[in-house]
Amino acid sequence: MTNKEKLMVIIGPTAVGKTRLSIELAKRYNGEIISGDSMQIYKGMDIGTAKITQQEMDGIPHHLIDIRDPEQDFSVAEFQQLVREKITEITSRHKLPIIVGGTGLYIQSAIYDYQFSAAPQDPDFRCNLEQRAEKEGNEVLHDELAKIDQQSANEIHPNNVRRVIRALEIYHCTGQTREETQANQSPELLYEIALIGLTMDREQLYSRINQRVDIMIEDGLISEVERLFNSGLRDSQSIQAIGYKEIYEYLNDRVTLPEAIEKLKQNSRRYAKRQLTWFRNKMGVEWFDIGDGQQFEKKITEISAYIEGKLKIKSNT
């Protein structure tokens, strides 16, 4: 008999249909949704992050959306802490917590017993890097990080010197990247979990991504990004998000608008491919192909049977 809290997790690439499914399952199982997206935490960044609207929520409570201003940084360790607090809080109300999102590292960190403080430290090395950053500039350290740990360099903005230095320090002490250090831990799942992955035919998914970008443009993405740009927001983690960095290139007169939009579609497709690779390699996911929209009700029934078997719960419908 387990004393672990019950948890449902719905993951998958961008534009696959996680939002629609999550609302239906939340209704069936008396659930509340925790966003597992590293960019939907930011206020005022709605269109480009495909943030769920109040209408789409359909009365289902959502958590960890709009909790930071765009100029603030946010780390995976902070996410880990906040998600675990929310899981306990939701469970205490006799509701089922449901994590929904596509940011693999963030979700993995929350549901497994990863220790971010476990990597060794070297205060002298760190102090030396801090001094170098002051003398030589932030970009120098970020370039060094990119040579040894490209993934961390992609995730961390050059001006987030503290996190750049920490990533360099981890490599200095262990000879491994942040991700490799985490992978070498043998963490256990902290929850009694139903881990659901959504997928569909690659060409169909890419078509949906392209269509979603067109809708974002129609819905005012350019104006949303212009507002951030005109507010003076420049060197922040938030604007490294797909959907924002491409439009910033246009606003900085580096590309034309059609070029920026095409780049946005391309980057979104590539991100979806990386998401699928991550989830398949890193997490024990039960996959469901939901490519045929006409079969949605059938898939809901199939997924519900899996959930009820894994979590030993019953639908309220």
Side-chain angles (χ1 to χ4, degrees):
M1 189 75 179
T2 179
N3 290 320
K4 292 180 178 178
E5 295 162 313
K6 295 181 189 294
L7 175 67
M8 188 193 306
V9 180
I10 303 171
I11 60 173
T14 184
V16 78
K18 298 184 292 294
T19 298
R20 180 186 178 192
L21 178 75
S22 67
I23 296 298
E24 290 302 316
L25 292 177
K27 290 176 182 176
R28 285 191 180 212
Y29 297 105
N30 199 23
E32 296 190 14
I33 292 172
I34 303 169
S35 171
D37 185 291
S38 64
M39 290 299 161
Q40 291 189 0
I41 63 162
Y42 289 113
K43 300 171 187 173
M45 296 177 64
D46 305 331
I47 299 170
T49 64
K51 196 177 290 177
I52 189 169
T53 64
Q54 285 291 331
Q55 185 176 1
E56 288 170 329
M57 288 180 189
D58 202 12
I60 300 297
H62 280 64
H63 305 274
L64 302 195
I65 293 175
D66 294 337
I67 62 169
R68 290 286 188 277
D69 292 320
E71 63 270 17
Q72 293 179 294
D73 288 326
F74 189 69
S75 72
V76 64
E78 288 175 278
F79 178 83
Q80 180 190 66
Q81 179 184 347
L82 290 173
V83 168
R84 291 177 183 176
E85 289 172 357
K86 284 295 176 187
I87 289 170
T88 298
E89 175 193 316
I90 293 166
T91 303
S92 73
R93 292 197 294 270
H94 306 290
K95 299 288 190 76
L96 178 66
I98 306 172
I99 299 176
V100 182
T103 308
L105 177 64
Y106 278 56
I107 295 173
Q108 186 188 38
S109 75
I111 65 176
Y112 288 92
D113 187 22
Y114 282 107
Q115 303 296 325
F116 287 102
S117 60
Q121 301 183 14
D122 185 336
D124 291 338
F125 179 79
R126 190 165 63 241
C127 182
N128 177 261
L129 290 182
E130 289 168 354
Q131 291 172 353
R132 282 189 57 203
E134 288 183 15
K135 292 178 183 176
E136 302 172 37
N138 302 339
E139 290 285 353
V140 172
L141 296 188
H142 193 264
D143 289 345
E144 286 187 15
L145 179 61
K147 291 174 184 175
I148 59 172
D149 185 356
Q150 186 62 57
Q151 181 166 336
S152 289
N154 290 342
E155 292 173 2
I156 303 171
H157 193 276
N159 287 348
N160 194 338
V161 182
R162 180 178 59 82
R163 289 185 64 202
V164 170
I165 288 175
R166 180 58 181 147
L168 286 166
E169 182 184 21
I170 289 171
Y171 189 84
H172 167 74
C173 292
T174 66
Q176 297 176 322
T177 65
R178 279 190 319 157
E179 186 182 351
E180 287 168 343
T181 302
Q182 185 169 323
N184 287 337
Q185 296 182 39
S186 299
E188 65 171 286
L189 273 168
L190 296 173
Y191 305 99
E192 187 180 345
I193 194 166
L195 186 48
I196 299 153
L198 305 185
T199 186
M200 63 174 55
D201 172 75
R202 184 68 58 88
E203 290 307 311
Q204 185 182 359
L205 178 63
Y206 286 175
S207 175
R208 283 173 63 106
I209 288 170
N210 291 340
Q211 184 181 20
R212 173 182 273 191
V213 171
D214 289 336
I215 292 170
M216 285 177 173
I217 299 300
E218 290 173 16
D219 286 348
L221 176 63
I222 308 303
S223 296
E224 179 174 277
V225 182
E226 278 182 332
R227 181 176 46 75
L228 296 169
F229 185 86
N230 292 336
S231 75
L233 190 69
R234 292 294 184 274
D235 299 320
S236 295
Q237 178 180 330
S238 60
I239 58 169
Q240 298 306 303
I242 295 171
Y244 295 86
K245 61 183 179 181
E246 296 85 1
I247 306 303
Y248 259 65
E249 288 285 289
Y250 159 66
L251 295 174
N252 280 312
D253 295 322
R254 291 176 187 148
V255 296
T256 65
L257 183 55
E259 287 171 338
I261 293 170
E262 187 51 45
K263 191 70 173 177
L264 169 49
K265 290 179 178 179
Q266 182 184 68
N267 286 342
S268 297
R269 294 192 301 267
R270 287 175 175 171
Y271 179 56
K273 185 177 180 181
R274 291 198 304 273
Q275 285 175 301
L276 283 166
T277 301
W278 170 277
F279 291 133
R280 286 183 172 135
N281 291 341
K282 304 285 185 183
M283 299 166 76
V285 179
E286 187 75 17
W287 289 99
F288 295 90
D289 189 323
I290 60 165
D292 187 348
Q294 295 177 340
Q295 298 290 318
F296 187 74
E297 289 303 320
K298 181 180 176 184
K299 285 296 177 184
I300 283 271
T301 302
E302 191 181 323
I303 292 168
S304 295
Y306 167 73
I307 291 165
E308 290 168 23
K310 286 290 288 185
L311 298 181
K312 306 296 185 290
I313 58 175
K314 293 182 179 179
S315 167
N316 56 22
T317 59

Coordinates of all heavy atoms in Angstrom, one line a residue, residues 13-93:
P13 N 4.3 17.1 -27.5 CA 4.9 18.3 -28.2 C 3.9 19.4 -28.3 O 2.7 19.2 -28.1 CB 5.2 17.7 -29.6 CG 4.3 16.6 -29.7 CD 4.1 16.0 -28.4
T14 N 4.4 20.6 -28.6 CA 3.6 21.7 -28.8 C 2.5 21.5 -29.9 O 2.8 20.8 -30.9 CB 4.4 22.9 -29.2 OG1 3.6 24.1 -29.3 CG2 5.2 22.7 -30.5
A15 N 1.3 21.9 -29.7 CA 0.2 21.9 -30.6 C -0.4 20.5 -30.8 O -1.3 20.3 -31.7 CB 0.6 22.4 -32.0
V16 N -0.1 19.5 -30.0 CA -0.6 18.2 -30.1 C -2.0 18.0 -29.6 O -2.8 17.1 -30.0 CB 0.3 17.1 -29.5 CG1 0.1 17.1 -28.0 CG2 0.1 15.8 -30.1
G17 N -2.5 18.9 -28.7 CA -3.8 18.8 -28.2 C -3.9 18.6 -26.7 O -4.9 18.0 -26.2
K18 N -2.9 18.9 -25.9 CA -2.8 18.7 -24.5 C -3.9 19.4 -23.7 O -4.5 18.9 -22.8 CB -1.4 19.0 -23.9 CG -0.3 18.2 -24.5 CD 1.0 18.6 -23.8 CE 1.5 20.0 -24.1 NZ 1.9 20.2 -25.5
T19 N -4.1 20.7 -24.1 CA -5.1 21.5 -23.4 C -6.5 20.9 -23.4 O -7.2 20.8 -22.4 CB -5.1 22.9 -24.0 OG1 -3.8 23.5 -23.8 CG2 -6.1 23.8 -23.3
R20 N -7.0 20.6 -24.6 CA -8.3 20.0 -24.7 C -8.5 18.8 -23.9 O -9.5 18.6 -23.2 CB -8.6 19.8 -26.2 CG -10.0 19.2 -26.4 CD -10.2 18.8 -27.9 NE -11.5 18.2 -28.1 CZ -11.8 17.6 -29.3 NH1 -11.0 17.5 -30.2 NH2 -13.0 17.0 -29.4
L21 N -7.5 17.9 -24.0 CA -7.6 16.6 -23.3 C -7.6 16.9 -21.8 O -8.3 16.3 -21.0 CB -6.5 15.7 -23.7 CG -6.4 14.4 -22.9 CD1 -7.5 13.4 -23.4 CD2 -5.1 13.7 -23.0
S22 N -6.7 17.8 -21.3 CA -6.6 18.0 -19.9 C -7.8 18.5 -19.3 O -8.2 18.1 -18.1 CB -5.4 19.0 -19.6 OG -5.7 20.3 -20.1
I23 N -8.6 19.4 -20.0 CA -9.8 19.9 -19.4 C -10.9 18.8 -19.3 O -11.5 18.7 -18.2 CB -10.4 21.0 -20.3 CG1 -9.4 22.2 -20.3 CG2 -11.8 21.4 -19.9 CD1 -9.2 22.9 -19.0
E24 N -11.0 17.9 -20.3 CA -11.9 16.8 -20.2 C -11.6 15.9 -19.1 O -12.4 15.4 -18.3 CB -11.9 16.0 -21.5 CG -12.5 16.8 -22.7 CD -14.0 17.3 -22.4 OE1 -14.7 16.4 -21.9 OE2 -14.3 18.4 -22.7
L25 N -10.3 15.6 -18.9 CA -9.9 14.6 -17.8 C -10.0 15.3 -16.4 O -10.4 14.6 -15.5 CB -8.4 14.2 -18.0 CG -8.2 13.3 -19.3 CD1 -6.8 12.9 -19.4 CD2 -9.1 12.0 -19.2
A26 N -9.8 16.6 -16.4 CA -10.0 17.3 -15.1 C -11.4 17.2 -14.6 O -11.7 17.1 -13.5 CB -9.5 18.7 -15.2
K27 N -12.3 17.3 -15.6 CA -13.8 17.2 -15.3 C -14.1 15.8 -14.8 O -14.9 15.7 -13.9 CB -14.6 17.6 -16.5 CG -14.5 19.1 -16.9 CD -15.3 19.3 -18.2 CE -15.3 20.7 -18.6 NZ -15.9 21.0 -19.9
R28 N -13.6 14.8 -15.5 CA -13.9 13.5 -15.1 C -13.4 13.0 -13.8 O -14.0 12.2 -13.1 CB -13.3 12.5 -16.2 CG -14.0 12.5 -17.5 CD -13.5 11.4 -18.4 NE -14.3 11.4 -19.6 CZ -14.6 10.3 -20.4 NH1 -14.2 9.1 -19.9 NH2 -15.2 10.4 -21.5
Y29 N -12.2 13.6 -13.4 CA -11.5 13.1 -12.2 C -11.4 14.1 -11.1 O -10.5 14.0 -10.3 CB -10.2 12.5 -12.6 CG -10.4 11.3 -13.5 CD1 -10.1 11.4 -14.8 CD2 -10.9 10.1 -13.0 CE1 -10.3 10.3 -15.7 CE2 -11.1 9.0 -13.9 CZ -10.8 9.1 -15.2 OH -11.0 8.1 -16.1
N30 N -12.2 15.2 -11.2 CA -12.2 16.2 -10.1 C -10.8 16.8 -10.0 O -10.3 16.8 -8.9 CB -12.7 15.6 -8.8 CG -13.2 16.6 -7.8 OD1 -13.5 17.7 -8.2 ND2 -13.2 16.3 -6.5
G31 N -10.2 17.2 -11.1 CA -8.8 17.6 -11.1 C -8.6 19.1 -11.1 O -9.5 19.9 -11.5
E32 N -7.4 19.5 -10.7 CA -6.9 20.9 -10.9 C -5.6 20.8 -11.7 O -4.8 19.9 -11.5 CB -6.7 21.6 -9.6 CG -8.0 21.8 -8.8 CD -7.9 22.7 -7.6 OE1 -6.8 23.4 -7.5 OE2 -8.8 22.7 -6.7
I33 N -5.4 21.8 -12.6 CA -4.3 21.7 -13.5 C -3.1 22.6 -13.1 O -3.3 23.7 -12.7 CB -4.8 22.0 -14.9 CG1 -5.7 20.9 -15.4 CG2 -3.6 22.2 -15.9 CD1 -6.4 21.2 -16.7
I34 N -1.9 22.0 -13.1 CA -0.7 22.7 -12.9 C 0.0 22.8 -14.2 O 0.3 21.8 -14.9 CB 0.2 22.0 -11.9 CG1 -0.5 21.7 -10.5 CG2 1.5 22.7 -11.6 CD1 0.2 20.8 -9.6
S35 N 0.3 24.1 -14.6 CA 1.1 24.3 -15.9 C 2.5 23.7 -15.8 O 3.2 24.0 -14.9 CB 1.1 25.7 -16.3 OG 2.0 25.9 -17.4
G36 N 2.8 22.9 -16.8 CA 4.2 22.4 -16.9 C 4.9 23.0 -18.0 O 5.7 22.4 -18.7
D37 N 4.7 24.3 -18.2 CA 5.3 25.1 -19.3 C 6.2 26.2 -18.7 O 5.7 27.0 -17.9 CB 4.2 25.7 -20.2 CG 4.8 26.4 -21.4 OD1 5.5 27.4 -21.2 OD2 4.6 25.9 -22.5
S38 N 7.4 26.2 -19.1 CA 8.4 27.2 -18.5 C 8.2 28.6 -18.9 O 8.7 29.5 -18.2 CB 9.8 26.8 -18.8 OG 10.0 26.9 -20.2
M39 N 7.3 28.9 -19.9 CA 7.1 30.2 -20.3 C 5.7 30.8 -20.0 O 5.5 32.0 -20.0 CB 7.4 30.4 -21.8 CG 8.8 30.2 -22.2 SD 9.9 31.5 -21.4 CE 11.5 30.8 -21.6
Q40 N 4.8 29.9 -19.7 CA 3.4 30.4 -19.3 C 3.4 31.0 -17.9 O 2.4 31.6 -17.5 CB 2.4 29.3 -19.5 CG 2.2 28.9 -20.9 CD 1.0 27.9 -21.1 OE1 0.4 27.5 -20.2 NE2 0.8 27.5 -22.3
I41 N 4.5 30.9 -17.2 CA 4.6 31.6 -15.9 C 4.6 33.1 -16.1 O 4.3 33.8 -15.1 CB 5.9 31.2 -15.2 CG1 7.1 31.6 -16.0 CG2 5.9 29.7 -14.9 CD1 8.4 31.6 -15.2
Y42 N 4.9 33.6 -17.3 CA 5.1 35.1 -17.4 C 3.9 35.8 -17.8 O 3.1 35.5 -18.7 CB 6.2 35.3 -18.5 CG 7.6 34.9 -18.1 CD1 8.2 33.9 -18.7 CD2 8.2 35.6 -17.1 CE1 9.5 33.5 -18.3 CE2 9.5 35.2 -16.7 CZ 10.1 34.2 -17.3 OH 11.4 33.8 -16.9
K43 N 3.6 36.9 -17.0 CA 2.5 37.7 -17.3 C 2.6 38.5 -18.6 O 3.7 38.9 -18.9 CB 2.3 38.8 -16.1 CG 2.2 38.2 -14.7 CD 2.3 39.2 -13.7 CE 2.3 38.6 -12.3 NZ 2.5 39.7 -11.2
G44 N 1.5 38.7 -19.3 CA 1.5 39.4 -20.5 C 2.1 38.7 -21.7 O 2.2 39.3 -22.8
M45 N 2.5 37.5 -21.5 CA 3.1 36.7 -22.7 C 2.0 35.6 -22.9 O 2.2 34.4 -22.5 CB 4.5 36.2 -22.3 CG 5.5 37.3 -22.2 SD 7.1 36.7 -21.7 CE 7.6 35.7 -23.1
D46 N 1.0 35.9 -23.6 CA -0.2 35.0 -23.7 C -0.3 34.4 -25.0 O -0.4 33.1 -25.1 CB -1.5 35.8 -23.4 CG -1.5 36.6 -22.1 OD1 -0.8 36.1 -21.1 OD2 -2.1 37.6 -22.0
I47 N -0.2 35.1 -26.1 CA -0.4 34.6 -27.4 C 0.7 33.7 -27.8 O 0.5 32.6 -28.3 CB -0.6 35.7 -28.4 CG1 -1.9 36.6 -28.1 CG2 -0.8 35.2 -29.9 CD1 -2.0 37.8 -28.9
G48 N 1.9 34.2 -27.7 CA 3.1 33.4 -28.1 C 3.4 32.1 -27.3 O 4.0 31.2 -27.8
T49 N 2.9 32.1 -26.1 CA 3.0 30.8 -25.3 C 1.8 29.9 -25.4 O 1.8 28.9 -24.7 CB 3.3 31.2 -23.8 OG1 2.1 31.8 -23.3 CG2 4.5 32.1 -23.6
A50 N 0.8 30.3 -26.2 CA -0.4 29.5 -26.4 C -1.1 29.3 -25.0 O -1.5 28.2 -24.7 CB -0.2 28.2 -27.1
K51 N -1.1 30.4 -24.2 CA -1.6 30.3 -22.8 C -3.1 30.0 -22.9 O -3.8 30.6 -23.7 CB -1.3 31.6 -22.1 CG -1.5 31.5 -20.6 CD -1.0 32.8 -19.9 CE 0.4 33.1 -20.1 NZ 0.8 34.4 -19.5
I52 N -3.6 29.1 -22.0 CA -5.0 28.8 -22.0 C -5.8 30.0 -21.6 O -5.4 30.8 -20.7 CB -5.3 27.6 -21.0 CG1 -6.7 27.1 -21.2 CG2 -4.9 28.0 -19.6 CD1 -7.0 25.8 -20.5
T53 N -7.0 30.2 -22.2 CA -7.8 31.4 -21.9 C -8.8 31.0 -20.8 O -9.0 29.8 -20.5 CB -8.6 31.8 -23.1 OG1 -9.5 30.7 -23.5 CG2 -7.7 32.1 -24.3
Q54 N -9.4 32.0 -20.2 CA -10.4 31.7 -19.2 C -11.6 30.9 -19.7 O -12.1 30.0 -19.1 CB -11.0 33.0 -18.6 CG -10.0 33.7 -17.6 CD -9.9 33.0 -16.3 OE1 -10.7 32.3 -15.8 NE2 -8.7 33.2 -15.7
Q55 N -11.9 31.2 -21.0 CA -13.0 30.4 -21.6 C -12.6 28.9 -21.8 O -13.4 28.0 -21.5 CB -13.4 31.0 -22.9 CG -14.6 30.4 -23.6 CD -14.9 31.1 -24.9 OE1 -14.3 32.1 -25.3 NE2 -16.0 30.7 -25.6
E56 N -11.4 28.7 -22.2 CA -10.9 27.3 -22.4 C -10.8 26.6 -21.1 O -11.0 25.3 -21.1 CB -9.6 27.3 -23.1 CG -9.6 27.7 -24.6 CD -8.2 28.0 -25.2 OE1 -7.3 28.4 -24.4 OE2 -8.1 27.7 -26.4
M57 N -10.5 27.3 -20.0 CA -10.4 26.6 -18.7 C -11.7 26.0 -18.3 O -11.8 25.0 -17.6 CB -10.0 27.6 -17.6 CG -8.5 28.0 -17.7 SD -8.1 29.2 -16.4 CE -6.5 29.7 -16.9
D58 N -12.8 26.6 -18.7 CA -14.2 26.0 -18.5 C -14.4 25.7 -17.0 O -15.0 24.7 -16.6 CB -14.4 24.8 -19.3 CG -15.9 24.5 -19.5 OD1 -16.7 25.3 -19.2 OD2 -16.2 23.3 -20.0
G59 N -13.9 26.6 -16.1 CA -14.1 26.5 -14.7 C -13.1 25.6 -14.0 O -13.2 25.5 -12.7
I60 N -12.2 25.0 -14.7 CA -11.2 24.2 -14.0 C -10.0 25.1 -13.5 O -9.4 25.8 -14.3 CB -10.6 23.1 -15.0 CG1 -11.7 22.2 -15.6 CG2 -9.5 22.3 -14.4 CD1 -12.4 21.4 -14.5
P61 N -9.7 25.0 -12.2 CA -8.6 25.8 -11.7 C -7.3 25.5 -12.3 O -7.0 24.3 -12.5 CB -8.6 25.4 -10.2 CG -10.0 24.9 -9.9 CD -10.4 24.2 -11.2
H62 N -6.5 26.5 -12.6 CA -5.2 26.3 -13.2 C -4.1 27.0 -12.3 O -4.4 28.1 -11.7 CB -5.1 26.9 -14.6 CG -5.7 26.0 -15.6 ND1 -7.0 25.7 -15.7 CD2 -5.1 25.4 -16.7 CE1 -7.2 24.8 -16.7 NE2 -6.0 24.7 -17.3
H63 N -3.0 26.5 -12.2 CA -1.9 27.0 -11.3 C -0.6 27.2 -12.1 O -0.3 26.5 -13.1 CB -1.7 26.0 -10.1 CG -2.9 25.7 -9.4 ND1 -3.4 26.5 -8.3 CD2 -3.8 24.7 -9.5 CE1 -4.5 25.9 -7.8 NE2 -4.8 24.9 -8.5
L64 N 0.3 28.0 -11.5 CA 1.6 28.4 -12.1 C 1.5 29.0 -13.5 O 2.4 28.8 -14.3 CB 2.5 27.2 -12.1 CG 2.8 26.5 -10.8 CD1 3.9 25.5 -10.8 CD2 3.0 27.5 -9.6
I65 N 0.5 29.8 -13.7 CA 0.3 30.6 -14.9 C 0.3 32.1 -14.4 O -0.3 32.4 -13.4 CB -1.0 30.3 -15.6 CG1 -0.9 28.9 -16.2 CG2 -1.2 31.3 -16.7 CD1 -2.1 28.4 -16.9
D66 N 1.1 33.0 -15.1 CA 1.1 34.4 -14.7 C 1.6 34.7 -13.3 O 1.0 35.4 -12.6 CB -0.3 35.0 -14.9 CG -0.8 35.1 -16.3 OD1 0.1 35.0 -17.2 OD2 -2.0 35.1 -16.5
I67 N 2.7 34.0 -13.0 CA 3.3 34.2 -11.6 C 4.6 35.0 -11.6 O 5.1 35.2 -10.5 CB 3.5 32.8 -10.9 CG1 4.5 32.0 -11.7 CG2 2.2 32.1 -10.7 CD1 5.0 30.7 -11.0
R68 N 5.1 35.4 -12.8 CA 6.3 36.1 -12.8 C 6.2 37.3 -13.8 O 5.5 37.1 -14.8 CB 7.5 35.3 -13.3 CG 8.0 34.3 -12.2 CD 8.7 34.9 -11.1 NE 9.3 34.0 -10.2 CZ 8.7 33.3 -9.2 NH1 7.4 33.6 -9.0 NH2 9.4 32.5 -8.4
D69 N 6.9 38.4 -13.6 CA 7.0 39.4 -14.6 C 8.0 39.0 -15.7 O 9.0 38.3 -15.3 CB 7.4 40.7 -13.9 CG 6.3 41.3 -13.0 OD1 5.1 41.2 -13.4 OD2 6.6 41.8 -11.9
P70 N 7.9 39.5 -16.9 CA 8.8 39.0 -18.0 C 10.3 39.3 -17.7 O 11.1 38.6 -18.3 CB 8.3 39.8 -19.2 CG 6.8 40.1 -18.9 CD 6.8 40.3 -17.4
E71 N 10.6 40.3 -16.9 CA 12.0 40.6 -16.7 C 12.6 39.7 -15.6 O 13.8 39.7 -15.4 CB 12.2 42.1 -16.3 CG 11.5 42.5 -15.0 CD 10.1 43.0 -15.2 OE1 9.5 42.7 -16.3 OE2 9.5 43.7 -14.3
Q72 N 11.8 38.9 -14.9 CA 12.3 38.0 -13.9 C 12.8 36.7 -14.4 O 12.2 36.1 -15.4 CB 11.2 37.8 -12.8 CG 10.8 39.0 -12.0 CD 9.7 38.7 -11.0 OE1 8.6 38.4 -11.4 NE2 10.0 38.7 -9.8
D73 N 13.9 36.2 -13.9 CA 14.3 34.8 -14.2 C 13.6 33.8 -13.4 O 12.9 34.1 -12.4 CB 15.8 34.7 -13.9 CG 16.7 35.5 -14.9 OD1 16.3 35.6 -16.1 OD2 17.7 36.0 -14.5
F74 N 13.6 32.6 -13.9 CA 12.9 31.5 -13.3 C 13.7 30.2 -13.6 O 14.0 29.9 -14.7 CB 11.5 31.4 -13.9 CG 10.6 30.4 -13.1 CD1 10.2 30.7 -11.9 CD2 10.2 29.2 -13.8 CE1 9.3 29.8 -11.2 CE2 9.3 28.3 -13.1 CZ 8.9 28.6 -11.8
S75 N 14.0 29.4 -12.5 CA 14.8 28.3 -12.7 C 14.0 27.0 -12.5 O 12.9 27.0 -11.9 CB 15.9 28.3 -11.6 OG 15.4 28.0 -10.3
V76 N 14.6 25.9 -12.9 CA 14.0 24.6 -12.8 C 13.9 24.2 -11.3 O 12.9 23.6 -10.9 CB 14.8 23.5 -13.6 CG1 16.2 23.3 -13.1 CG2 14.0 22.2 -13.6
A77 N 14.8 24.6 -10.5 CA 14.7 24.3 -9.1 C 13.5 25.1 -8.4 O 12.8 24.5 -7.6 CB 16.0 24.8 -8.4
E78 N 13.3 26.3 -8.9 CA 12.1 27.0 -8.4 C 10.8 26.3 -8.8 O 9.8 26.2 -8.0 CB 12.1 28.5 -8.9 CG 13.1 29.4 -8.3 CD 13.1 30.7 -9.0 OE1 13.7 30.9 -10.0 OE2 12.4 31.6 -8.4
F79 N 10.8 25.9 -10.1 CA 9.6 25.2 -10.6 C 9.4 23.9 -9.8 O 8.2 23.6 -9.4 CB 9.8 24.8 -12.0 CG 8.7 24.1 -12.7 CD1 7.6 24.7 -13.1 CD2 8.8 22.7 -12.8 CE1 6.5 24.0 -13.7 CE2 7.8 22.0 -13.4 CZ 6.6 22.6 -13.8
Q80 N 10.4 23.2 -9.5 CA 10.3 21.9 -8.7 C 9.7 22.2 -7.4 O 8.7 21.5 -7.0 CB 11.7 21.3 -8.5 CG 11.8 20.1 -7.7 CD 13.2 19.7 -7.4 OE1 13.9 20.4 -6.6 NE2 13.7 18.6 -7.9
Q81 N 10.1 23.2 -6.7 CA 9.6 23.5 -5.4 C 8.1 23.9 -5.5 O 7.2 23.4 -4.7 CB 10.4 24.6 -4.7 CG 9.8 25.0 -3.4 CD 10.6 26.2 -2.8 OE1 11.6 26.6 -3.3 NE2 10.0 26.8 -1.7
L82 N 7.8 24.8 -6.4 CA 6.4 25.3 -6.5 C 5.4 24.2 -6.9 O 4.3 24.1 -6.4 CB 6.3 26.4 -7.6 CG 7.0 27.7 -7.1 CD1 7.0 28.7 -8.3 CD2 6.3 28.4 -5.9
V83 N 5.8 23.3 -7.8 CA 4.9 22.2 -8.3 C 4.6 21.3 -7.1 O 3.5 20.9 -6.9 CB 5.5 21.5 -9.5 CG1 4.8 20.2 -9.7 CG2 5.5 22.3 -10.7
R84 N 5.7 20.9 -6.4 CA 5.5 20.0 -5.3 C 4.5 20.6 -4.2 O 3.7 19.9 -3.7 CB 6.8 19.6 -4.7 CG 7.6 18.7 -5.6 CD 9.0 18.4 -5.1 NE 9.8 17.6 -6.0 CZ 11.0 17.3 -5.9 NH1 11.7 17.6 -4.7 NH2 11.7 16.6 -6.8
E85 N 4.7 21.9 -4.0 CA 3.8 22.6 -3.0 C 2.3 22.5 -3.5 O 1.4 22.3 -2.8 CB 4.2 24.0 -2.8 CG 5.5 24.1 -2.0 CD 6.0 25.6 -2.0 OE1 5.4 26.5 -2.6 OE2 7.1 25.8 -1.3
K86 N 2.2 22.8 -4.8 CA 0.8 22.8 -5.4 C 0.2 21.4 -5.4 O -1.0 21.2 -5.2 CB 0.9 23.3 -6.9 CG 1.0 24.8 -7.0 CD -0.2 25.5 -6.4 CE 0.0 27.0 -6.4 NZ -1.1 27.7 -5.7
I87 N 1.0 20.3 -5.7 CA 0.5 19.0 -5.6 C -0.1 18.7 -4.2 O -1.2 18.1 -4.1 CB 1.6 18.0 -6.0 CG1 1.9 18.1 -7.5 CG2 1.2 16.5 -5.7 CD1 3.1 17.3 -8.0
T88 N 0.7 19.0 -3.2 CA 0.2 18.8 -1.8 C -1.0 19.6 -1.5 O -2.0 19.1 -0.9 CB 1.4 19.1 -0.8 OG1 2.4 18.2 -1.1 CG2 0.9 18.9 0.6
E89 N -1.0 20.8 -1.9 CA -2.2 21.7 -1.7 C -3.4 21.2 -2.3 O -4.5 21.2 -1.7 CB -1.8 23.1 -2.2 CG -2.9 24.1 -2.1 CD -2.6 25.4 -2.9 OE1 -1.5 25.9 -2.9 OE2 -3.5 25.9 -3.7
I90 N -3.3 20.8 -3.6 CA -4.5 20.3 -4.4 C -5.0 19.0 -3.8 O -6.2 18.8 -3.6 CB -4.1 20.1 -5.8 CG1 -3.9 21.5 -6.5 CG2 -5.2 19.4 -6.6 CD1 -3.2 21.5 -7.8
T91 N -4.1 18.1 -3.4 CA -4.4 16.8 -2.8 C -5.1 17.1 -1.5 O -6.1 16.3 -1.2 CB -3.2 16.0 -2.6 OG1 -2.5 15.8 -3.8 CG2 -3.5 14.6 -2.0
S92 N -4.7 18.1 -0.7 CA -5.3 18.3 0.6 C -6.8 18.8 0.4 O -7.6 18.6 1.4 CB -4.6 19.4 1.3 OG -4.8 20.7 0.8
R93 N -7.2 19.2 -0.8 CA -8.6 19.6 -1.0 C -9.4 18.4 -1.6 O -10.5 18.6 -2.1 CB -8.6 20.8 -2.0 CG -8.1 22.1 -1.4 CD -8.6 23.3 -2.2 NE -8.0 23.3 -3.6 CZ -6.8 23.9 -3.9 NH1 -6.1 24.5 -3.0 NH2 -6.4 23.9 -5.1

